[in-house]
């Protein structure tokens, strides 16, 4: 069992402590923004002139796995294959996972306008190949890639678009069952105007999530959820409704360092048990130090403001220039965290 498996088992059994909080690094941006998702190749003085190459990006992922702080590493299927070829997960307690679908609302390549229309379902990855490396696995064939993936849906209060998304979700569950493949369910906030009152929108999302899994038996339910943090009230409502539904939050934009730690602390306080952060880690001046400090916040050892100071201290010891000075980086800028 990986560390994530052990933590999920304790959470489901009602034995959660803050040391069981699950941190996932979302390094799957090559299936959305594509090339730019690797992040800037920064010098110690903060300057940069190009994005990381794929090899440099894989080096970064490997370093984070070997640090052994995160519990789940989420990548594309092709990058997971490359990491396995390097032997990155051979003896690791970090659980590898892949993005199992790539809906059109994450197609945000340079110049693209796909995300301005209601999300449509699409899948690139083959579950059988990711799991066993074959088209038609034999019964009991061992897992060679991973048996865990992220499946994403975006509801837009659009009958045709949402119907197509749910049909695709049904087909995915059947495929996952056939391949002994587990998944966690990502539900983004709507990517287009829905006509719903903004104050009601978080509860619309909660209702959509619970409605779409209400007809799904335990064997086909997600391991946990990945959702936007829409404030304390909405998160408490969802996390408190059914203890069998484990709720996780996504990171969103890079923001300030305080935004990262504040989101982590608030999410845990109001019922989340998983954090899946991408840009907040990948765009940090020192991703390894960001991850290490996130763990201290999740475990309750550091308050968010204390964590910002600790992170800046780590940067100073390595002579890495921060993007913002300490005072500016210790400011909450994301509106949902200020309520």
């Amino acid at each position: 069992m990986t560390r994530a498996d052990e933590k999920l088992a304790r959470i489901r059994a009602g034995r959660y402590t803050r040391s069981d909080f699950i941190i996932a690094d979302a390094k799957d941006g090559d299936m959305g923004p594509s090339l730019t998702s690797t992040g800037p190749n920064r010098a110690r003085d903060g300057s940069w002139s190009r994005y990381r190459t794929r090899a440099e990006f894989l080096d970064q992922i490997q370093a984070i796995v070997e640090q052994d702080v995160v519990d789940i590493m989420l990548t594309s299927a092709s990058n997971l294959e490359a990491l396995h070829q390097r032997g990155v997960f051979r003896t690791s307690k970090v659980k590898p996972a892949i993005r199992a679908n790539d809906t059109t609302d994450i197609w945000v390549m340079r110049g693209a306008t796909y995300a301005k229309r209601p999300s449509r379902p699409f899948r690139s990855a083959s579950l059988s190949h990711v799991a066993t490396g074959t088209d038609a696995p034999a019964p009991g064939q061992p897992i060679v890639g991973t048996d865990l993936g992220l499946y994403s849906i975006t509801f837009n209060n659009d009958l045709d678009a949402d119907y197509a998304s749910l049909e695709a979700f049904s087909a995915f569950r059947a495929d996952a069952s056939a391949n002994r493949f587990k998944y966690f369910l990502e539900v983004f906030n709507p990517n287009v105007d829905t006509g719903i009152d903004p104050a009601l929108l978080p509860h619309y999302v909660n209702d959509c999530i619970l409605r779409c899994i209400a007809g799904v038996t335990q064997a086909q339910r997600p391991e946990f959820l990945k959702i936007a943090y829409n404030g304390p009230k909405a998160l408490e409502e969802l996390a408190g409704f059914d203890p069998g539904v484990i709720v996780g939050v996504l990171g969103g934009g890079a923001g300030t360092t305080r935004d990262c730690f504040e989101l982590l602390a608030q999410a845990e306080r109001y019922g989340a048990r998983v954090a899946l952060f991408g840009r907040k880690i990948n765009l940090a001046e020192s991703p390894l130090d960001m991850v290490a400090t996130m763990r201290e916040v999740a475990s309750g050892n550091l308050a968010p403001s204390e964590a910002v100071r600790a992170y800046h201290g780590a940067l100073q010891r390595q002579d890495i220039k921060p993007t913002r000075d300490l005072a500016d980086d210790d400011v909450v800028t994301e509106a949902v965290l200020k309520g």
Side-chain angles (χ1 to χ4, degrees):
M1 292 179 73
T2 64
R3 189 164 53 244
D5 295 323
E6 294 166 352
K7 289 184 175 185
L8 286 169
R10 287 194 291 271
I11 294 168
R12 292 190 188 103
R15 301 197 308 270
Y16 170 79
T17 66
R18 292 192 68 165
S19 63
D20 293 319
F21 191 90
I22 294 170
I23 296 177
D25 187 0
K27 288 284 196 289
D28 57 335
D30 50 329
M31 298 187 73
S34 189
L35 185 151
T36 61
S37 70
T38 61
N41 186 52
R42 282 198 184 94
R44 286 185 179 274
D45 65 1
S47 63
W48 67 281
S49 60
R50 64 173 177 83
Y51 293 100
R52 295 187 188 105
T53 64
R54 185 189 183 206
E56 289 167 339
F57 187 56
L58 291 172
D59 289 343
Q60 181 69 64
I61 296 172
Q62 181 170 350
I64 291 176
V65 172
E66 291 175 351
Q67 182 190 27
D68 200 32
V69 174
V70 302
D71 303 297
I72 297 171
M73 177 58 74
L74 174 68
T75 71
S76 64
S78 60
N79 278 347
L80 178 61
E81 181 179 48
L83 292 164
H84 274 306
Q85 289 168 354
R86 293 183 175 202
V88 171
F89 294 98
R90 189 173 295 128
T91 60
S92 177
K93 292 284 281 183
V94 177
K95 177 72 175 180
I98 59 109
R99 176 169 277 276
N101 72 328
D102 35 322
T103 52
T104 58
D105 53 320
I106 67 166
W107 298 3
V108 289
M109 301 80 74
R110 288 169 287 188
T113 60
Y114 306 112
K116 294 182 179 180
R117 303 168 214 174
S119 176
R120 295 184 189 180
F122 181 77
R123 278 203 282 157
S124 295
S126 161
L127 300 188
S128 63
H129 270 271
V130 168
T132 63
T134 62
D135 287 319
Q141 189 155 341
I143 302 297
V144 298
T146 188
D147 60 354
L148 181 66
L150 174 153
Y151 190 86
S152 184
I153 298 181
T154 303
F155 296 102
N156 281 298
N157 200 30
D158 179 307
L159 180 59
D160 292 337
D162 294 352
Y163 183 94
S165 293
L166 287 167
E167 286 279 18
F169 181 35
S170 178
F172 167 79
R173 295 196 309 272
D175 190 17
S177 292
N179 286 283
R180 298 178 294 131
F181 199 87
K182 299 175 289 187
Y183 72 98
F184 51 99
L185 182 63
E186 174 181 70
V187 181
F188 285 125
N189 284 347
N191 69 296
V192 296
D193 182 31
T194 61
I196 297 172
D197 183 336
L200 189 60
L201 193 63
H203 305 286
Y204 163 78
V205 174
N206 284 357
D207 288 347
C208 285
I209 292 168
L210 295 172
R211 201 216 65 78
C212 87
I213 62 173
V216 179
T217 58
Q218 190 62 47
Q220 288 195 340
R221 282 202 165 200
E223 297 293 294
F224 55 87
L225 303 175
K226 175 187 178 185
I227 63 168
Y229 179 62
N230 287 319
K233 184 177 179 181
L235 180 55
E236 280 190 315
E237 177 185 72
L238 183 61
F241 179 75
D242 179 356
V245 177
I246 299 171
V247 180
V249 295
L250 57 87
T256 63
T257 300
R258 177 64 180 273
D259 286 334
C260 176
F261 299 146
E262 193 69 38
L263 174 56
L264 192 60
Q266 288 192 28
E268 196 281 336
R269 184 183 313 139
Y270 296 116
R273 298 295 175 253
V274 187
L276 304 99
F277 288 2
R279 282 169 286 182
K280 283 179 164 55
I281 296 173
N282 197 43
L283 298 181
E285 301 91 340
S286 175
L288 292 174
D289 288 301
M290 178 62 77
V291 167
T293 315
M294 285 173 59
R295 175 58 68 195
E296 293 300 301
V297 174
S299 298
N301 298 326
L302 289 176
S305 186
E306 294 172 328
V308 176
R309 294 194 294 275
Y311 175 71
H312 273 255
L315 296 180
Q316 187 176 34
R317 288 190 293 274
Q318 297 169 80
D319 197 27
I320 298 174
K321 182 180 179 180
T323 303
R324 304 173 189 83
D325 63 32
L326 177 58
D328 291 338
D329 212 20
D330 194 20
V331 175
V332 176
T333 66
E334 296 178 12
V336 72
L337 300 172
K338 296 178 180 181

